[in-house]
């Protein structure tokens, strides 16, 4: 069926199913996440009798291959073979910057297959053990690449990925004979209308049957276990308490070591861990983890900005940045050696080098978290994890407001949600200072379920992003400007031309810091003269290597064609 016919079909389905499953309920509704792995629905535990809407759908189909054929194998074998792969083409590729035991890995990202672009829909049916309906189904529209008001999810990403293992270098995969191909469907962040499409679990409900219009005769079955008296409530909160007392005027002196305590809580305010400690990495990742606390998981479920499951990375991290009036992107690279060093807190930026001060701390500490991945015995993953930590203010800390931001994610009884909390500390002055942001307003697009307080880290304060989002030696695309450029330049759902800088940038000066990272996080090519002078593009996110964050000159590219500035 071609796209116009599917659009007509979508409109007809909207009319036929108007109001279906949206009857009001006395029970508080919560958004749940559905997952299908190679045709098998992942079991779902939900509070008994709960009223739910669908906030997230992840479907993955994968095959292994011994020859380099892109993602052609997915057209022949596996769960997505029937979808229609005509038109598929390579969109981007990159290498992991760290080699593993078997060498380097290459990632190739594919788009434009027919199934990725056409409108489609899902029906979610509550059923009993015999497959009989136990309530009204709900109908969810995925839309197409072009965003429409009828779309039920803010984030829609359909693509395929080829992984190549055993590459000789970070640019050469000649002779490789181990590949993995995967098709991915990611729907996230239910929009306002979709949150009203609810179903209430009957005591007879044993599964959710997920029908996709592109696979109408092969529904997925997601087993459901209803938990009668769960220990915790839905929802997630993070409390951050300063433990270091301020001076009499409520401020801290430069050079002070600031101590903080972290408390993770459910939506009713109940603690998810005992005060004084957090669970070990092994307990969270390999244990039962009843409270649903999350730690970094990309060791086991690799992520890629925009292209692959970044929402499932699930880092628990805190950072400090300031003073607020100095906040700006950080371009100094944080190397892996810093993560693996003896300090639990990592210095990201200094006033002398970066114009702003910043440190961050992961939970567990990075030396245990990442060190455990390189240790055959994974001893760091069994190490105790404290719920307190320190940030060291520099002796030359400028007066102003410093922002301490902590973000994490909780996965509990079907609910998969982020949360971010920012506390302010005054250093050297009682006068509150603020960041001067050079971009905005994001809410012209990020609305109706796509608000910054809901997507990503559920953080609406963009001034707090730069401290965590510094370039890492093993992940150069860290800075926010790189990620925002990359995502919006690749997304067909961004309604404006990426060349029109004025849609986001507020001043002409804010588009004039020219570097490979600034330009090639958006542009996919540059002139032959640039290739000759600066080398070919080798990184789809920042253009090149560590040099990508160096400012080119003050005289080149002081304007941008069509920028509106």
């Amino acid at each position: 069926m071609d796209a116009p016919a599917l659009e007509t079909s979508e409109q007809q389905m909207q009319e036929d199913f108007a109001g279906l499953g949206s009857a009001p309920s006395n029970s508080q509704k919560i958004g749940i996440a559905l997952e299908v792995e190679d045709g098998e629905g992942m079991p779902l535990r939900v509070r008994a009798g709960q009223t739910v809407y669908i906030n997230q759908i992840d479907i993955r189909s994968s095959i292994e291959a011994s020859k380099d054929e892109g993602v052609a194998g997915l057209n022949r074998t596996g769960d997505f073979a029937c979808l229609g792969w005509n038109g598929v083409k390579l969109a981007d590729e990159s290498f992991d910057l760290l080699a593993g035991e078997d060498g380097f890995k290459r990632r190739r990202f594919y788009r434009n297959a027919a199934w990725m672009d056409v409108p489609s829909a899902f029906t979610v049916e509550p059923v009993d053990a015999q497959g009989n309906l136990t309530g009204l189904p709900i109908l969810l529209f995925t839309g197409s690449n072009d965003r429409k008001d009828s779309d039920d999810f803010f984030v829609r990403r359909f693509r395929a990925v080829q992984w190549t293992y055993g590459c000789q270098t970070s640019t050469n995969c000649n002779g490789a004979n181990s590949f993995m191909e995967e098709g991915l469907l990611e729907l996230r962040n239910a929009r306002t209308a979709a949150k009203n499409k609810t179903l209430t679990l009957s005591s007879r409900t044993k599964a959710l049957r997920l029908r996709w219009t592109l696979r109408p005769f092969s529904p997925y079955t997601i087993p459901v276990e209803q938990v009668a008296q769960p220990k915790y409530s839905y929802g997630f909160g993070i409390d951050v308490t300063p433990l270091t007392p301020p001076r009499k005027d409520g401020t801290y002196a430069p050079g002070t070591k600031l101590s903080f305590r972290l408390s993770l809580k459910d939506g009713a305010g109940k603690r998810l861990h005992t005060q004084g400690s957090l669970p070990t990495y092994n307990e969270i990742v390999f244990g039962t983890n009843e409270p649903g606390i999350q730690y970094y998981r990309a060791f086991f479920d690799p992520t890629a900005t925009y292209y692959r499951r970044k929402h499932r990375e699930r880092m628990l991290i805190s950072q400090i940045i300031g003073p607020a009036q100095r906040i700006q992107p950080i371009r100094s690279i944080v190397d892996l050696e810093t993560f693996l060093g003896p300090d639990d807190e990592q210095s990201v930026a200094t006033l002398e080098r970066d114009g702003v001060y910043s440190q961050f701390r992961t939970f567990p500490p990075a030396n245990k978290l990442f060190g455990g991945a390189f240790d055959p015995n994974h001893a760091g993953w069994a190490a105790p994890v404290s719920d307190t930590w320190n940030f060291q203010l520099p002796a030359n800390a400028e007066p102003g407001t410093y922002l301490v931001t902590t973000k994490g994610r909780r996965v509990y009884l079907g609910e998969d949600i982020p949360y971010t909390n920012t506390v302010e500390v005054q250093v050297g002055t009682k006068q509150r200072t603020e960041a001067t942001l050079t971009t905005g307003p994001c809410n012209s697009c990020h609305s109706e379920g796509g608000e910054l307080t809901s997507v990503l880290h559920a953080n609406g304060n963009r001034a707090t992003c730069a401290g965590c989002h510094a370039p890492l030696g093993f992940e150069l695309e860290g800075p926010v400007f790189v990620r925002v450029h990359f995502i919006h330049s690749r997304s067909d759902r961004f309604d404006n031309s990426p060349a029109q800088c004025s849609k986001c940038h507020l001043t002409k000066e804010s588009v004039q810091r020219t570097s490979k990272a600034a330009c090639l996080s958006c542009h996919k090519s540059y002139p032959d003269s640039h290739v000759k002078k600066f080398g070919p593009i080798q990184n789809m996110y920042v253009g090149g290597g560590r040099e990508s964050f160096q400012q080119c000159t003050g005289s080149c590219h002081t304007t941008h064609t069509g920028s509106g500035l």
Side-chain angles (χ1 to χ4, degrees), residues 12 64 103 123 136 148 207 287 331 347 383-384 430 464 476 487 545:
Q12 185 62 51
E64 295 182 353
T123 304
L136 289 174
K148 294 183 179 180
R331 298 175 175 86
S347 293
K430 296 173 63 176
T464 66
L476 291 174
I487 291 169

Side-chain angles (χ1 to χ4, degrees), residues 209-372:
R209 190 161 55 210
L210 187 64
R211 296 186 186 273
W212 188 14
T213 53
L214 299 189
R215 303 175 75 255
F217 305 112
S218 302
Y220 302 112
T221 299
I222 298 173
V224 173
E225 176 190 350
Q226 299 195 49
V227 181
Q229 294 181 320
K231 184 176 180 179
Y232 300 97
S233 297
Y234 284 111
F236 184 37
I238 300 175
D239 289 347
V240 175
T241 305
L243 300 180
T244 304
R247 298 182 293 190
K248 290 183 179 180
D249 64 354
T251 70
Y252 293 95
T256 302
K257 179 180 287 187
L258 301 177
S259 297
F260 299 89
R261 167 164 282 139
L262 175 75
S263 298
L264 307 179
K265 299 181 178 181
D266 66 15
K270 182 176 181 177
R271 296 182 62 89
L272 302 179
H273 57 96
T274 58
Q275 182 171 309
S277 67
L278 291 164
T280 68
Y281 188 80
N282 284 339
E283 289 171 335
I284 291 295
V285 177
F286 305 112
T288 56
N289 187 21
E290 184 180 10
I293 297 170
Q294 297 295 297
Y295 292 154
Y296 180 81
R297 289 174 176 262
F299 305 124
F300 317 105
D301 190 2
T303 63
T305 297
Y306 181 68
Y307 278 121
R308 193 184 194 280
R309 294 182 164 182
K310 200 65 175 175
H311 63 296
R312 294 163 66 106
E313 193 170 80
R314 297 171 176 166
M315 177 76 82
L316 180 60
I317 188 171
S318 185
Q319 61 104 5
I320 185 171
I321 191 168
Q325 70 273 17
R326 287 275 228 148
I327 288 177
Q328 58 187 293
I330 296 169
R331 298 175 175 86
S332 297
I333 297 171
V334 184
D335 286 310
L336 181 63
E337 290 76 16
T338 301
F339 280 73
L340 301 181
D343 296 331
D344 286 350
E345 291 78 30
Q346 281 71 47
S347 293
V348 179
T350 65
L351 286 164
E352 300 87 348
R353 185 185 66 202
D354 307 284
V356 67
Y357 152 77
S358 182
Q359 288 186 313
F360 70 75
R361 156 70 183 264
T362 66
F363 300 89
N367 47 26
K368 305 291 193 303
L369 177 62
F370 290 91

Side-chain angles (χ1 to χ4, degrees), residues 1-3 6 82-89 111-120 143-145 156 158 212 214:
M1 187 180 293
D2 58 18
L6 275 168
C82 62
L83 295 184
W85 286 85
N86 53 301
V88 68
K89 65 179 181 180
R111 303 182 67 177
N112 297 114
W115 69 270
M116 301 177 189
D117 295 343
V118 299
S120 61
S144 62
N145 278 344
R156 177 197 188 273
F158 295 7
W212 188 14
L214 299 189

Side-chain angles (χ1 to χ4, degrees), residues 90-97 104-110 160-165 167 170 173 180 182 298 302-308 310 313 474-477 486 539-541:
L90 178 65
D92 279 300
E93 77 171 35
S94 71
F95 283 77
D96 281 359
L97 298 182
F104 290 89
K105 287 186 293 188
R106 182 182 65 195
R107 307 172 295 181
R108 284 181 166 171
F109 304 99
Y110 292 80
V161 185
Q162 183 211 45
W163 296 79
T164 304
Y165 304 103
C167 298
S170 61
C173 286
M180 193 263 286
E182 57 181 359
T303 63
T305 297
Y306 181 68
Y307 278 121
R308 193 184 194 280
K310 200 65 175 175
E313 193 170 80
F474 52 91
E475 189 179 71
L476 291 174
E477 71 269 19
F486 190 88
N539 184 298
M540 68 179 186
Y541 293 113

Side-chain angles (χ1 to χ4, degrees), residues 447-463:
S447 59
E448 289 290 312
E451 294 84 358
L452 295 183
T453 52
S454 298
V455 301
L456 306 171
H457 311 314
N459 181 14
N461 186 351
R462 292 182 292 120

